[in-house]
Amino acid sequence: MLKLFFLFLFLFSVTAFSQIQKGEMILSATVSPYPTTTQNKNDFGAIGLVGFEFFVTHKISLSGSFFTSNNTLFKDNSGITIHSYGFVPSIHYYFVNKGKWNVFAQAGYGFGFEDQTQGFIQNSALTVYSIGPGAHYRIREKLYLKIFLPYFNARNITLNVDAADGVAAFLGVSFKL
């Protein structure tokens, strides 16, 4: 019985002290594929997110993510390049917060702008919201693999059209400060 008690104490201390705690901060960088069809021609680009996350409790964090996208980064069949930039503040709730991995849900709403090169430059305002699950898996003491699967909608409010709408798979790394 004493061995079982010490085993439980050891396992508790390993998971309790290595999980993310109140007051800790995480920097992350993730990328997602960004296929588009413009004028019946397929392009292929990427969306990048760089975020900063602050834990107000061990289960709740507030974050801010800067995003950028380019629809023709890898394949440009249409000749129309769309760049977007912006900032999305978010809140995360961690359902699982263990030493080796954690699982969260995120919701955010932010703003940005979009440049479309169609023989001329047109700047347009965007509203962006996202909601979805994600996870971190620790691969080193402070380094995590991050996967994030949000549903997001980027609405071009200048032109009153959806700039992007759907589920995206973001993959990247996070670093605990």
Side-chain angles (χ1 to χ4, degrees):
M1 187 65 171
L2 190 59
K3 287 182 183 180
L4 187 61
F5 172 75
F6 282 117
L7 178 62
F8 174 77
L9 185 63
F10 172 74
L11 290 175
F12 175 77
S13 67
V14 168
T15 60
F17 295 113
S18 59
Q19 69 185 355
I20 299 171
Q21 299 291 322
K22 176 182 176 180
E24 291 186 329
M25 296 171 277
I26 292 179
L27 290 175
S28 63
T30 57
V31 67
S32 176
Y34 184 36
T36 58
T37 301
T38 307
Q39 296 177 348
N40 294 322
K41 296 186 180 169
N42 295 325
D43 298 325
F44 189 72
I47 302 171
L49 291 173
V50 175
F52 174 78
E53 193 172 348
F54 177 78
F55 283 79
V56 293
T57 73
H58 77 285
K59 289 207 173 260
I60 298 173
S61 69
L62 301 176
S63 72
S65 296
F66 293 95
F67 69 87
T68 185
S69 70
N70 179 327
N71 72 314
T72 58
L73 187 63
F74 302 110
K75 184 171 140 185
D76 182 3
N77 289 330
S78 70
I80 298 171
T81 301
I82 304 169
H83 295 279
S84 63
Y85 309 92
F87 179 73
V88 179
S90 304
I91 186 167
H92 295 81
Y93 180 79
Y94 282 78
F95 296 99
V96 177
N97 187 357
K98 301 289 183 187
K100 192 72 171 170
W101 59 281
N102 57 53
V103 178
F104 60 87
Q106 173 270 352
Y109 184 81
F111 298 94
F113 69 92
E114 181 176 67
D115 282 341
Q116 295 187 33
T117 306
Q118 300 179 14
F120 59 93
I121 299 295
Q122 180 179 6
N123 290 325
S124 302
L126 295 174
T127 59
V128 180
Y129 73 85
S130 70
I131 187 166
H136 291 109
Y137 180 77
R138 189 178 61 169
I139 52 179
R140 295 263 195 266
E141 182 180 343
K142 293 185 175 194
L143 186 64
Y144 293 81
L145 180 63
K146 181 177 183 177
I147 187 165
F148 181 41
L149 301 166
Y151 166 79
F152 70 96
N153 178 275
R155 181 90 181 149
N156 185 316
I157 57 176
T158 304
L159 302 174
N160 198 28
V161 296
D162 282 335
D165 187 30
V167 176
F170 285 87
L171 184 61
V173 294
S174 296
F175 184 77
K176 187 163 73 166
L177 301 175

